[in-house]
Amino acid sequence: MTESTHTKPEPAAVRPEPAVGGLRRVSRVTLQYLLRLFLGLGVIQIFLAGFGVFSLDGQELGSADETAMDPHRSLAAVMMVVTLLIVLAAAAARPGRRIVIMSVVLLLMISVVQTALAAAGEDTALFGGLHALLGIGTLGLAHGISAAVRRSIPSAPRTSSAPRTSSAEGSGRG
């Protein structure tokens, strides 16, 4: 019998993944840098909170003449902007629904929950403690988002669909 004209379909595992567009690639890199920036600012934020609390010198937290916590409050505003940029970068990078949702949760934690707890903490120490605890939790969430983004980046596609051979087999040396 003669050769068959039927060709075998290429296995799905060998097909390269589609290339990521330029905007998505830049957005993923930007997202990673923004997450690192957020983490670094978070460490500074913890320092500023401790520094401010121990610099009150008998002043009441939140009183009109109290300025010890101003650097902490100012950095909080910067972190809110960075978090908004994280959400925008995640939406543009399209790394997956889970990462975008986690980014939105981070934004809500920073802009709504942390702000409310900080305001309530000026009158009730329990809320101030929750504010500090949730601040550390936001750093954990940001780290989790960063790890998820790294895992979502596809590895470089193989350029050849030919099966791999070991160096001994491919060199002709037996």
Side-chain angles (χ1 to χ4, degrees):
M1 193 161 179
T2 63
E3 285 185 36
S4 173
T5 58
H6 294 105
T7 59
K8 293 181 183 179
E10 187 176 317
V14 179
R15 291 186 195 135
E17 292 190 27
V20 177
L23 176 63
R24 286 182 66 191
R25 188 173 24 258
V26 169
S27 296
R28 283 181 187 224
V29 170
T30 302
L31 178 58
Q32 284 288 61
Y33 280 113
L34 287 170
L35 287 163
R36 289 179 188 147
L37 175 63
F38 181 87
L39 290 168
L41 292 175
V43 170
I44 295 169
Q45 187 71 318
I46 291 169
F47 168 79
L48 290 175
F51 186 78
V53 165
F54 289 103
S55 298
L56 285 172
D57 292 328
Q59 295 176 345
E60 186 175 327
L61 184 63
S63 65
D65 60 341
E66 180 265 308
T67 60
M69 296 300 289
D70 284 353
H72 179 77
R73 291 181 188 112
S74 297
L75 188 56
V78 171
M79 290 181 76
M80 283 184 210
V81 172
V82 170
T83 309
L84 178 61
L85 294 174
I86 287 170
V87 170
L88 295 174
R94 294 185 288 160
R97 179 179 295 153
R98 179 174 168 254
I99 293 171
V100 173
I101 290 171
M102 289 169 65
S103 300
V104 170
V105 168
L106 181 64
L107 177 63
L108 292 174
M109 287 173 65
I110 290 293
S111 62
V112 177
V113 180
Q114 280 292 79
T115 303
L117 287 174
E122 291 182 3
D123 298 323
T124 307
L126 174 66
F127 294 120
L130 290 174
H131 171 76
L133 190 60
L134 186 63
I136 294 170
T138 61
L139 297 180
L141 179 57
H143 182 270
I145 296 168
S146 181
V149 170
R150 280 192 306 274
R151 285 190 304 270
S152 75
I153 297 173
S155 59
R158 287 180 32 193
T159 56
S160 171
S161 62
R164 291 184 180 185
T165 60
S166 69
S167 58
E169 292 175 57
S171 66
R173 298 177 196 155

